[in-house]
Amino acid sequence: MSRALRILVAAAALLGGVVSLFAAENTALTRGIAITDPDLLRKLDQNNTLTISRLLSPERNADVPLTTELMFVSLPQLKEILPAIDAEFERYIARYKATYPGETIGVGEGFDAQLFDLANLKSRDTRFVLAGIVNRMDRAYVSEESCGEIRLIYRLTRFDSRPDGGKTATRLPMTLNLVMKARDARQTDVHGKPVTCAEVARRWLQNGDWQELIGSRDDAMLDRIETNIQVSVAPKSALHDFRSDYLLKVFKYTVATKTFEESTLENQIDRDRILADDALRRDLKAWLLAPDHLHEFDRGTVLIPEKFLAKAAVVPTPSGLDASVLQPEFGMMQGEGNGDPVFTDNDVVGALKQAAARGIDMQNVRSVAGFQRRLNDVTCAGCHQTRGIGGFHFPGVDWLADKPSNSTIVPASPHFFGDQLRRRDILTAFAAGKQPDFSRGFASRPQTRGSHELAGTEYQDGWGAHCSLQDAGSGTRDGSFTSWSCANGLTCQAAAASRRIGMCFIKTR
């Protein structure tokens, strides 16, 4: 039996008896910081309470959610979204044809690369279904006034008629996140005092009424819309391995125009544009390696200036553990196929020494390899490539399934669940009136801050977790990954050519 087959057999044996345990574990991790209950989501969606149309146009008298055929036409706030997505598809198709001139690309099974059918965004048979609500007060460092964000996540779904008159629901590979501010600064409590971040956090931790959790539904609460579409799927060919590409876009809400307008993606470095512009290269290096910014970069709270950012990102999956052109930062670091990198090893080592001389305690980025990993996972694309479900971190709860109890076992990725303890720590600090610690570890490895709740699970050091190979015969010790170990009974084994990062597997002979 091959090593790969032994691993699969062991995994099947392991997972077969603990599916219900994982479901309970996931529910416990999200309690108080996310709404994933299928019955509640069904109620909020089907009675048109938290549909996109009701949130953007609360004065509407419609009793049913809008189909995509009507939604993008009836809601003027959304008028810029479809043209921007259409333009990205045109650019994507042109790039694909230039890269693989011998392959065909289009909608349907007859093409080498199968495109997402944009007709689904203008159809009377499709609509966006509420798939989850997630508290992101851990992002309050971006905007203290709003106390962070609340994300309402919708999954595009097609409804086909059945002979018996009913409907069959098929989820399509696209999510739309309506991001709202966690607090309305104008809102007051029963005593007439402004609602504080502490009060918002307490409501979530106490599993308060959803109307209190979401807050008011007007323009002042709208922040942005994020879209994620599986733009194409291509099987393995003589030119490339299996590929599934995801398109990420962001549209910021502008109160003056009452429109969601195309925007840059937070921290999504525009690699190709930076590499082609000497001035941008110098500016990015100087800005990011400055001690204060390097400290924020280490903590995962850095906000890279917009002039370095892109307005779209294509996320190829799977991307693997090794540095490759599939990853967003590739080519910016020394030794990545670029004779003139933005960051040399000496640049990074020198910046780390300068930070240490100023008394800055670096918790994650302690080496060149750590800097490279953070440069990847601080971007939208790099994060979605890390421990995701394809290109998604929250596909959401499929409460329309015939057996929803089976479909809600993993509504989100290992990265999402592994991060819940950190997010809950932040809400707990808010609720107690303390200053939260917004720092986070690498996307590959959750930052547990001393908690033992994740120990032995896939999220931290259990089967399938990312681990450090430095104690497995590599002879290399890297300060950025020293603590990445495996639980008892598991061993860290190379999953790629990487000399530093592997995965925790059951020991086999």
Side-chain angles (χ1 to χ4, degrees), residues 207-431:
N207 291 300
D209 181 78
W210 70 264
Q211 297 186 67
E212 290 187 326
L213 301 184
I214 303 304
S216 63
R217 289 172 282 169
D218 57 29
D219 282 10
M221 293 294 286
L222 299 176
D223 187 81
R224 65 189 184 276
I225 281 176
E226 302 172 340
T227 61
N228 186 358
I229 306 174
Q230 186 188 57
V231 60
S232 78
V233 177
K236 182 179 176 63
S237 73
L239 300 176
H240 55 75
D241 290 330
F242 168 81
R243 281 278 298 276
S244 181
D245 287 354
Y246 296 79
L247 171 67
L248 307 182
K249 293 285 290 179
V250 171
F251 302 86
K252 289 284 289 184
Y253 189 71
T254 302
V255 176
T257 62
K258 296 185 179 298
T259 305
F260 287 95
E261 300 177 354
E262 190 176 19
S263 175
T264 55
L265 282 69
E266 184 178 291
N267 291 343
Q268 181 64 43
I269 50 178
D270 194 337
R271 177 186 68 187
D272 294 341
R273 184 165 59 88
I274 292 170
L275 289 175
D277 188 319
D278 288 340
L280 276 180
R281 291 159 60 97
R282 289 193 301 268
D283 289 351
L284 176 61
K285 180 166 70 172
W287 188 91
L288 190 54
L289 296 183
D292 289 344
H293 297 150
L294 187 63
H295 186 210
E296 295 171 342
F297 182 71
D298 171 70
R299 298 177 75 242
T301 59
V302 71
L303 295 173
I304 298 173
E306 284 196 11
K307 72 175 184 176
F308 302 116
L309 305 181
K311 288 189 175 181
V314 173
V315 186
T317 63
S319 62
L321 295 177
D322 290 324
S324 75
V325 72
L326 300 180
Q327 297 172 341
E329 66 74 34
F330 188 80
M332 303 189 78
M333 298 291 299
Q334 182 177 331
E336 293 181 338
N338 188 346
D340 186 19
V342 177
F343 303 98
T344 67
D345 291 358
N346 288 338
D347 290 334
V348 175
V349 171
L352 291 174
K353 288 181 178 179
Q354 185 180 6
R358 292 187 50 176
I360 296 175
D361 181 23
M362 304 291 282
Q363 295 294 317
N364 302 291
V365 180
R366 297 175 172 175
S367 63
V368 173
F371 183 92
Q372 182 271 339
R373 184 164 289 267
R374 178 63 96 197
L375 194 59
N376 246 340
D377 77 19
V378 79
T379 68
C380 297
C383 183
H384 276 263
Q385 287 177 328
T386 307
R387 305 217 76 195
I389 302 174
F392 297 105
H393 276 308
F394 195 94
V397 177
D398 186 8
W399 50 261
L400 286 161
D402 291 334
K403 296 182 179 180
S405 60
N406 290 337
S407 66
T408 58
I409 293 172
V410 283
S413 71
H415 170 70
F416 174 88
F417 286 116
D419 199 39
Q420 294 309 297
L421 292 176
R422 183 189 69 89
R423 299 181 190 181
R424 187 181 301 156
D425 284 347
I426 290 171
L427 260 67
T428 301
F430 265 128

Side-chain angles (χ1 to χ4, degrees), residues 78-98:
L78 307 179
K79 65 181 181 181
E80 294 193 11
I81 292 181
L82 287 190
I85 290 176
D86 286 344
E88 292 295 346
F89 266 65
E90 290 178 4
R91 284 190 283 269
Y92 177 84
I93 293 169
R95 287 195 301 268
Y96 196 95
K97 289 181 176 179

Side-chain angles (χ1 to χ4, degrees), residues 100-178:
Y100 305 111
E103 292 194 354
T104 58
I105 181 169
V107 176
E109 295 183 358
F111 295 91
D112 296 318
Q114 298 176 28
L115 278 175
F116 176 86
D117 189 354
L118 286 174
N120 288 313
L121 297 180
K122 305 169 187 177
S123 171
R124 66 181 61 183
D125 298 319
T126 61
R127 72 175 180 90
F128 287 96
V129 172
L130 183 64
I133 306 173
V134 179
N135 181 297
R136 293 305 308 269
M137 291 181 71
D138 61 292
R139 285 179 46 77
Y141 65 88
V142 177
S143 175
E144 294 183 10
E145 177 69 16
S146 64
C147 306
E149 307 161 356
I150 305 300
R151 299 186 181 185
L152 291 92
I153 302 174
Y154 300 86
R155 183 68 177 251
L156 185 62
T157 303
R158 185 177 66 243
F159 294 85
D160 296 313
S161 298
R162 297 197 306 255
D164 62 4
K167 295 282 188 179
T168 298
T170 304
R171 302 211 310 172
L172 303 176
M174 176 180 180
T175 58
L176 184 152
N177 303 344
L178 179 59

